[in-house]
């Protein structure tokens, strides 16, 4: 067996990490240390295809700490190390190719979030084995770069890596829509951070409002937030969004607009004020007014809806006035908030979901109820298909999103004898059914809407 020749290196050398978009970083060569480490900041673990990954920033130039490269890598080990203060901390280990001189080979690299003796990188003996020996009296034996060369390297790298920092504020990161939004943002070069709204807490303060995460992180520096709140999180979630807005993050749908749109009564009032057709809708506090409300919507058959309804679960069709009265009074005795609505029979169990982004209908599907069912919700067994909507429907969908001040909205429209009517507007419209049926990249369009708002230009 022929042994590979061993190269002599100095006590400091330039190395590069092609997979980490870092062409040159000065390393201290230290055969006293076993493992190699790199100074990384903003270290965050996330899961990708069931594996642990880590995102971090490398600031390769000591003198120019603003030049930060955003990187991601698979975690191959987690080590507990004692720092100089005696407390132990977790360090993530990644495996990545390193370029030294003309040689490129894989090394294990610990992500340390402090400088190693004033160097951004420390090369330990494990990486040198059978390859290098150190002459501690020398330096840069593999070559040196001028300051100009270094700044040229990073001129372009800085641009490539300067994506936006976007938080997805939701509760379940495994949901199709949330996964797609994270993925679409990453594909477009942004730093996507999943934030479980239940784990965020906040400080109200006139001079320094703050948001923290359960793991102790302060949530700051976000350019934008994409809220994807389930109905039970509306109240707290919208307060969080407003807090993010107060620390200058743009929210794709403001807290105020979501609050307004989730209130079915309030949004109905906004629609009627703006001349947007909806089925005739009645509401009363007391059971004494039940008969009056039934008359107001032109009698049975009629629809009774729980104000908190989603996925069609709280929507009932009452065929006769007697049945309607009983259902309404039963709901009221349970102190449930309901509204009563004229039944649009001619819709034949179909409705149309228009996905609106920035005053444009970017996709539309028809949902058709199962046989014997009037609710077309996918959760109720409804089927989705692509549909070409009319100009009138398009205008109506855009207007409904606009009067609620929602840049992103799912507008449900029903076709009645009196023309198209808005049934409801969803401020966190699901992506699965509609992307599946139309094949459109709606998550990508949502990210583009943020880029447009932030005047972000991809380099
Ligand atoms: P949810 O918010 O629970 O989905 P919706 O108001 O969207 O409640 O109603 C669920 C479904 O029931 C709709 O998709 C539609 O198919 C049907 N529906 C709702 N309101 C009416 C109505 N006034 N006339 C006819 N069908 C209706």
């Amino acid at each position: 067996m022929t042994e590979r020749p061993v190269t002599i290196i100095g006590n400091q050398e330039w190395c590069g990490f092609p997979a980490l978009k870092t062409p040159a970083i000065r390393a201290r060569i230290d055969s006293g240390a076993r493992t190699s480490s790199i100074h990384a900041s903003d270290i965050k673990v996330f899961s990708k295809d069931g594996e642990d990954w880590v995102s971090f920033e490398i600031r390769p130039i000591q003198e120019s700490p603003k030049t930060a490269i955003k990187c991601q890598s698979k975690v191959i080990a987690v080590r507990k190390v004692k720092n100089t203060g005696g407390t132990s901390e977790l360090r993530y280990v990644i495996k990545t190719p390193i370029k030294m001189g003309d040689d490129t080979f894989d090394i294990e690299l610990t992500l340390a979030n402090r400088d190693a003796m004033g160097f951004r990188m420390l090369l330990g003996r494990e990486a040198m084995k059978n390859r290098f020996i150190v002459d501690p009296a020398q330096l840069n034996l593999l070559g040196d770069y001028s300051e100009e060369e270094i700044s040229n390297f990073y001129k372009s790298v800085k641009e490539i890596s300067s994506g936006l920092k976007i938080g997805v504020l939701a509760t379940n990161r495994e949901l199709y829509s949330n996964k797609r939004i994270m993925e679409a943002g990453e594909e477009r070069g942004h730093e996507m951070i999943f934030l479980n709204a239940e784990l965020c807490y906040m400080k109200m303060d006139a001079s320094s409002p703050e948001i923290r995460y359960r793991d102790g992180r302060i949530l700051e520096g976000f350019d934008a937030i994409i809220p994807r709140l389930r109905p039970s999180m509306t109240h707290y979630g919208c307060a969080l969004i407003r807090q993010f807005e107060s620390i200058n993050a743009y929210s794709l749908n403001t807290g105020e607009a979501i609050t307004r749109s989730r209130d079915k009564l309030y949004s109905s009032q906004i629609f009627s004020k703006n001349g947007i057709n909806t089925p005739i809708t009645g509401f009363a506090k007391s059971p004494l007014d039940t008969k009056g409300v039934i008359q107001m919507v032109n009698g049975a058959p009629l629809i009774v809806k729980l104000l908190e309804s989603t996925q069609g679960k709280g929507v009932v069709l009452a065929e006769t006035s007697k049945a309607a009265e009983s259902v309404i009074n039963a709901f009221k005795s349970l102190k449930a908030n309901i509204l009563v609505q004229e039944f649009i029979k001619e819709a034949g169990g179909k409705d149309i979901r228009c996905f609106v982004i920035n005053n444009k209908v970017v996709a539309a599907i028809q949902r058709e109820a199962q046989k014997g069912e009037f609710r077309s919700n996918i959760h109720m067994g409804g089927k989705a298909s692509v549909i070409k909507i009319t100009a009138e429907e398009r205008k109506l969908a855009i207007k409904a999103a606009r009067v609620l001040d929602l840049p992103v909205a799912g507008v449900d429209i029903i076709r009645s004898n009196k023309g198209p009517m808005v049934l409801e507007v969803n401020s966190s419209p699901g992506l699965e059914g509609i992307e599946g049926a139309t094949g459109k990249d709606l998550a990508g369009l949502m990210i583009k809407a943020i880029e447009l708002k932030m005047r972000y230009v991809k380099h």
Side-chain angles (χ1 to χ4, degrees):
M1 201 173 89
T2 54
E3 276 191 30
R4 49 174 301 128
V6 173
T7 310
I8 299 174
I9 56 175
N11 71 24
Q12 78 182 48
E13 293 289 346
W14 288 99
C15 8
F17 292 100
L20 304 178
K21 294 171 285 180
T22 302
I25 187 167
R26 203 194 290 274
R28 158 93 196 188
I29 315 297
D30 182 3
S31 52
R34 187 169 66 86
T35 49
S36 303
S37 63
I38 193 161
H39 174 59
S41 50
D42 215 13
I43 303 172
K44 284 174 213 122
V45 197
F46 62 99
S47 101
K48 188 166 166 179
D49 302 325
E51 295 178 315
D52 280 344
W53 278 60
V54 70
S55 68
F56 52 96
E57 284 179 7
I58 296 178
R59 294 163 201 272
I61 314 170
Q62 201 97 23
E63 303 75 32
S64 153
K66 283 208 156 163
T67 302
I69 301 159
K70 293 185 166 122
C71 308
Q72 293 190 344
S73 191
K74 198 170 110 178
V75 175
I76 61 155
V78 184
R79 291 199 189 119
K80 215 178 204 174
V81 294
K82 274 223 165 78
N83 64 23
T84 40
T87 51
S88 59
E89 56 184 57
L90 294 180
R91 295 262 173 89
Y92 299 98
V93 184
I94 63 168
K95 191 173 193 169
T96 191
I98 186 172
K99 184 172 185 310
M100 292 186 71
D102 298 327
D103 225 358
T104 303
F105 53 98
D106 278 354
I107 66 164
E108 289 187 7
L109 206 51
T110 305
L111 304 179
N113 81 14
R114 60 205 168 95
D115 281 15
M117 294 173 275
F119 282 82
R120 296 283 149 130
M121 151 104 206
L122 189 142
L123 194 82
R125 62 175 178 276
E126 221 170 52
M128 288 187 254
K129 213 159 52 187
N130 303 332
R131 203 177 291 271
F132 303 124
I133 48 171
V134 194
D135 179 350
Q138 310 232 36
L139 48 96
N140 299 330
L141 293 182
L142 297 177
D144 198 3
Y145 295 120
S146 68
E147 242 175 69
E148 201 186 329
E149 279 172 303
I150 292 293
S151 85
N152 272 339
F153 277 149
Y154 288 109
K155 218 180 254 164
S156 59
V157 168
K158 207 164 154 185
E159 286 173 357
I160 293 164
S161 62
S162 60
L164 300 169
K165 182 167 170 178
I166 303 174
V168 176
L169 189 67
T171 41
N172 182 355
R173 69 185 307 155
E174 297 307 321
L175 281 187
Y176 173 92
S177 300
N178 297 339
K179 283 209 289 216
R180 281 283 299 122
I181 292 169
M182 295 286 294
E183 215 175 83
E186 275 158 13
E187 258 166 34
R188 297 183 65 81
H190 303 301
E191 183 187 2
M192 301 299 293
I193 298 163
F194 184 87
L195 300 170
N196 184 339
E198 284 173 341
L199 306 187
C200 298
Y201 55 103
M202 49 194 150
K203 177 175 96 176
M204 323 298 185
D205 182 278
S207 57
S208 59
E210 229 175 53
I211 311 172
R212 287 186 186 243
Y213 211 59
R214 184 157 311 158
D215 60 12
R217 254 187 297 159
I218 296 182
L219 301 179
E220 58 191 355
F222 283 86
D223 296 298
I225 292 290
I226 302 178
R228 302 288 304 180
L229 301 168
R230 55 181 159 80
S232 62
M233 279 298 286
T234 303
H235 188 69
Y236 188 67
C238 285
L240 270 174
I241 298 168
R242 290 192 296 270
Q243 190 82 354
F244 272 108
E245 288 169 330
S246 76
I247 56 169
N248 300 322
Y250 164 70
S251 184
L252 190 59
N253 286 354
T254 62
E256 210 179 316
I258 297 171
T259 305
R260 216 180 301 134
S261 72
R262 292 263 166 109
D263 182 335
K264 285 194 192 195
L265 270 183
Y266 192 7
S267 43
S268 308
Q269 287 171 327
I270 295 173
F271 293 150
S272 58
K273 186 174 152 201
N274 287 281
I276 291 176
N277 279 334
T278 59
I280 303 170
T281 303
F283 179 83
K285 184 89 185 114
S286 160
L288 295 176
D289 299 312
T290 298
K291 279 204 171 76
V293 172
I294 292 175
Q295 266 171 24
M296 209 160 63
V297 303
N298 300 329
L302 54 77
I303 298 274
V304 183
K305 282 185 198 179
L306 280 176
L307 288 193
E308 295 75 33
S309 169
T310 54
Q311 306 174 349
K313 283 177 201 150
V315 182
V316 178
L317 170 63
E319 310 258 12
T320 64
S321 290
K322 264 263 111 357
E325 219 177 301
S326 314
V327 171
I328 295 168
N329 290 342
F331 275 141
K332 289 216 175 280
S333 72
L334 293 171
K335 306 234 177 310
N337 286 315
I338 53 164
L339 59 76
V340 178
Q341 200 165 66
E342 100 181 271
F343 176 51
I344 309 297
K345 188 165 190 284
E346 62 271 23
K350 292 180 192 148
D351 74 358
I352 297 166
R353 159 61 60 99
C354 299
F355 205 104
V356 180
I357 300 181
N358 281 341
N359 296 314
K360 247 177 104 176
V361 176
V362 291
I365 50 168
Q366 173 169 273
R367 297 177 302 190
E368 186 166 1
Q370 248 178 7
K371 228 172 157 230
E373 171 62 68
F374 71 97
R375 295 166 296 183
S376 59
N377 305 66
I378 306 292
H379 289 92
M380 289 291 153
K383 282 214 172 64
S385 57
V386 184
I387 190 177
K388 209 172 148 40
I389 55 169
T390 65
E392 194 186 0
E393 286 158 354
R394 185 175 301 275
K395 259 172 73 183
L396 183 68
I398 292 168
K399 189 168 176 191
R402 202 187 61 229
V403 297
L404 291 179
D405 205 12
L406 295 169
V408 173
V411 181
D412 292 344
I413 288 179
I414 195 165
R415 285 178 170 167
S416 83
N417 291 338
K418 291 179 267 178
M421 291 177 165
V422 171
L423 265 189
E424 76 168 341
V425 177
N426 193 318
S427 57
S428 294
L431 299 177
E432 189 165 14
I434 194 159
E435 280 196 340
T438 61
K440 290 195 174 155
D441 174 16
L442 299 180
L445 293 178
M446 287 171 70
I447 302 291
K448 277 193 196 164
I450 293 177
E451 292 172 359
L452 194 73
K453 181 75 193 179
M454 319 254 31
R455 298 173 198 280
Y456 170 83
V457 183
K458 200 163 185 250
H459 297 278

